[in-house]
Amino acid sequence: MSRFSAHNEKNTEKTVDKKAVIFGLTSVFLCGIGFSIIAPVVPFLVQPYTSNHGEQAIIVTMLTSVYAICVFFAAPGLGALSDKYGRRPLLLVCLFGSAVGYLVLGIGGALWVLFAGRIIEGITGGSISTIFAYFADIIPPEQRTKYFGWMSAVAGVGVIVGPTLGGVITKFGYSAPMYFGAIITLLNVAFGFFFMPESLDKNNRLKEITFVRLNPFTQLANVLSIKNLKRLLVSAFLLWIPNSSLQAVFSQFTMDTFNWKPALIGLMFSIIGVQDIISQSFIMPKLLKKLRDAQIVMIGMISEIIGYSLIAASALFSFYPFLIVGMFIFGFGDSIFGPAFNGMLSKSVDSSEQGRIQGGSQSIQALARIIGPIIGGQIYVSFGHAAPAFMGMILIATGVLVLSKEAHINNTFGAS
């Protein structure tokens, strides 16, 4: 406890490197564009290689799961490497790998090529956790939730621009958004190479990397063994499963239920980005003054349950206004959950462990992204279009129950 207190005092006194903040926020923005620009068109890339909508939905969700499997196994190693060698080289490698993945997806030509592109992206898919570790290095603990909120808002702008742009660019072909995503990401690599300062002081770096640090299952056990975080991570896992399922099947869902095209699907993805901007600009600053991080996490989860209920209703009644309202409410919950969750996470360990904790968190998220799309795709085909949303309501409600244990709220979250 004394070491953590001393660490807090030391970080409170240091000034924030504005150049580092600008680079970090720029990276988040471009990551948001690069990732979201391809989301509306994945089903259309898969379509030529499938014979029916059910098979198409399964392949789309499998592409998401393959990516997550690679992230799961690679994330602990990337986190350990960033703790030892610094954030800068790892972030540049991860971004470059994403660009190559987008390029391979754009080239296509066969299903195995599409899977190869996702595998390349997944193996180097540590950019977001490295950026979080980067910010944790340069931001005092008491300000991290606010800065993580800024990251969400900037990512929101990218998520607004990306899907809409991707939907429009499809007039040049369904591969065009992939090429554009690759170009955007390579520009970010170039920007980082010339302007990104290293954030991790050499004195705070990991001395050696052991095999244990590279084993994702050991890292999962280690992260879950942190008493103050166990329930938080379990609840987040229960939230990430349906969220990854929704993300994987959403384009297929809107195609099958409402016969939407890429441009309109892109606009719907942009709702999440709009919510991030609104929440981080106007709502989160007020919430942070009145509530603890843990309470904000709980509000976010309850909002997502309500959002899922309306998404399910839109499928049952084939009434798209329910979907639009549901996405806004879901987006609000997601936008406040993320910053508060990452704020709590980063405050639990000192500088030399930020890569480990963020890498471990990403491994848990990746595990959910392996399970979620597979389950979501299967129940979507077997039980109907509303089934993944009902799954979301049930699992997140379970997560709320896990977090709402009175003793845990009082003893663990009280200091958040």
Side-chain angles (χ1 to χ4, degrees), residues 68-121:
I69 289 169
C70 294
V71 171
F72 174 74
F73 284 102
L78 293 173
L81 289 170
S82 78
D83 283 338
K84 181 172 176 60
Y85 298 107
R87 316 301 181 201
R88 183 178 184 274
L90 265 295
L91 184 54
L92 293 178
V93 168
C94 289
L95 291 172
F96 183 78
S98 294
V100 173
Y102 295 147
L103 185 62
V104 172
L105 277 171
I107 293 171
L111 270 180
W112 73 265
V113 177
L114 299 183
F115 278 98
R118 293 300 277 168
I119 288 169
I120 293 169
E121 278 187 79

Side-chain angles (χ1 to χ4, degrees), residues 88-275:
R88 183 178 184 274
L90 265 295
L91 184 54
L92 293 178
V93 168
C94 289
L95 291 172
F96 183 78
S98 294
V100 173
Y102 295 147
L103 185 62
V104 172
L105 277 171
I107 293 171
L111 270 180
W112 73 265
V113 177
L114 299 183
F115 278 98
R118 293 300 277 168
I119 288 169
I120 293 169
E121 278 187 79
I123 291 172
T124 58
S127 56
I128 294 299
S129 65
T130 306
I131 292 172
F132 274 115
Y134 186 78
F135 267 75
D137 291 338
I138 64 175
I139 304 299
E142 70 278 0
Q143 296 184 44
R144 286 179 191 161
T145 301
K146 178 180 75 174
Y147 276 88
F148 288 151
W150 289 4
M151 289 174 68
S152 292
V154 171
V157 177
V159 170
I160 289 174
V161 175
T164 306
L165 189 60
V168 172
I169 291 175
T170 53
K171 69 180 181 179
F172 300 107
Y174 292 135
S175 292
M178 309 298 169
Y179 296 135
F180 193 86
I183 292 169
I184 288 282
T185 308
L186 286 174
L187 287 174
N188 198 15
V189 173
F191 181 83
F193 183 81
F194 290 107
F195 299 106
M196 178 188 185
E198 178 55 61
S199 64
L200 184 61
D201 188 276
K202 290 185 178 180
N203 294 326
N204 291 330
R205 295 188 184 183
L206 191 66
K207 302 305 179 185
E208 62 177 342
I209 299 176
T210 62
F211 176 75
V212 170
R213 288 293 300 265
L214 302 178
N215 185 329
F217 299 102
T218 302
Q219 289 305 300
L220 271 179
N222 287 343
V223 171
L224 289 171
S225 69
I226 301 174
K227 186 178 179 181
N228 292 357
L229 292 180
K230 189 171 185 178
R231 286 181 181 270
L232 175 67
L233 290 171
V234 169
S235 298
F237 179 70
L238 292 172
L239 177 138
W240 288 330
I241 288 176
N243 285 15
S244 60
S245 171
L246 176 66
Q247 182 182 344
V249 304
F250 184 80
S251 295
Q252 192 72 44
F253 169 82
T254 54
M255 284 173 58
D256 295 343
T257 310
F258 307 116
N259 198 31
W260 285 1
K261 301 301 181 186
L264 191 52
I265 296 171
L267 284 174
M268 283 303 300
F269 272 104
S270 297
I271 286 178
I272 303 296
V274 170
Q275 285 299 117

Side-chain angles (χ1 to χ4, degrees), residues 49-92:
Y49 313 112
T50 56
S51 57
N52 56 67
H53 287 280
E55 185 182 356
Q56 186 178 356
I58 295 297
I59 296 297
V60 168
T61 55
M62 284 177 64
L63 282 169
T64 304
S65 290
V66 163
Y67 172 85
I69 289 169
C70 294
V71 171
F72 174 74
F73 284 102
L78 293 173
L81 289 170
S82 78
D83 283 338
K84 181 172 176 60
Y85 298 107
R87 316 301 181 201
R88 183 178 184 274
L90 265 295
L91 184 54
L92 293 178

